[in-house]
C-alpha cells in the first residue's frame, strides 16, 4: 500500500505555529496521517504551502565541508587582494 505523504524527513515542529518545519503538518496530522482517507490527505496537502509560508525556519548550521570551502575561498580572495596590492 502506497500512502501519499508530504514528508521530506525534516521532522521538527515550529513552537510558534505548531507546524512541521519540513512538511507543514501539525503533530496531530503527522500522527494520524496513516488513518486519513486519500481525500482528507489531499485536503491537508493543499493547505501546506500557505502554512509553510508562516513558518520561520531556523538557519541551518554550516557543515564541515561548507566551512572548509568557505575558508578556502576567503583565503584565495585575501591572497588575490595582496597580489594586486604588490603589483602597484
Amino acid at each position: 500500500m502506497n500512502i501519499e505523504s508530504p514528508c521530506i524527513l525534516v521532522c521538527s515542529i515550529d513552537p510558534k505555529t505548531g507546524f512541521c518545519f519540513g512538511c507543514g503538518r501539525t503533530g496531530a496530522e503527522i500522527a494520524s496521517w496513516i488513518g486519513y482517507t486519500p481525500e482528507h490527505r489531499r485536503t491537508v496537502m493543499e493547505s501546506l504551502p500557505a502554512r509553510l509560508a508562516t513558518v520561520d525556519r531556523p538557519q541551518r548550521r554550516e557543515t564541515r565541508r561548507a566551512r572548509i570551502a568557505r575558508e578556502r575561498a576567503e583565503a584565495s580572495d585575501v591572497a588575490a587582494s595582496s597580489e594586486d596590492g604588490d603589483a602597484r
Side-chain angles (χ1 to χ4, degrees):
M1 178 165 70
N2 188 11
I3 295 179
E4 187 176 21
S5 174
C7 182
I8 62 167
L9 303 177
V10 178
C11 304
S12 183
I13 303 294
D14 177 15
K16 292 179 186 173
T17 63
F19 301 139
C20 174
F21 287 111
C23 69
R25 294 178 292 173
T26 66
E29 288 168 339
I30 293 168
S32 301
W33 196 253
I34 197 163
Y36 288 170
T37 64
E39 294 77 23
H40 189 180
R41 286 194 292 268
R42 279 189 218 103
T43 299
V44 171
M45 288 175 64
E46 288 172 3
S47 68
L48 298 180
R51 289 182 186 182
L52 286 170
T54 68
V55 173
D56 186 21
R57 292 188 174 106
Q59 188 173 19
R60 295 183 68 175
R61 73 174 181 86
E62 185 176 41
T63 64
R64 181 173 182 267
R65 178 177 287 167
R67 180 181 51 81
I68 291 170
R70 177 182 48 80
E71 289 171 350
R72 283 184 180 154
E74 289 170 354
S76 294
D77 291 345
V78 168
S81 295
S82 66
E83 287 176 7
D84 289 343
D86 291 342
R88 291 181 187 174

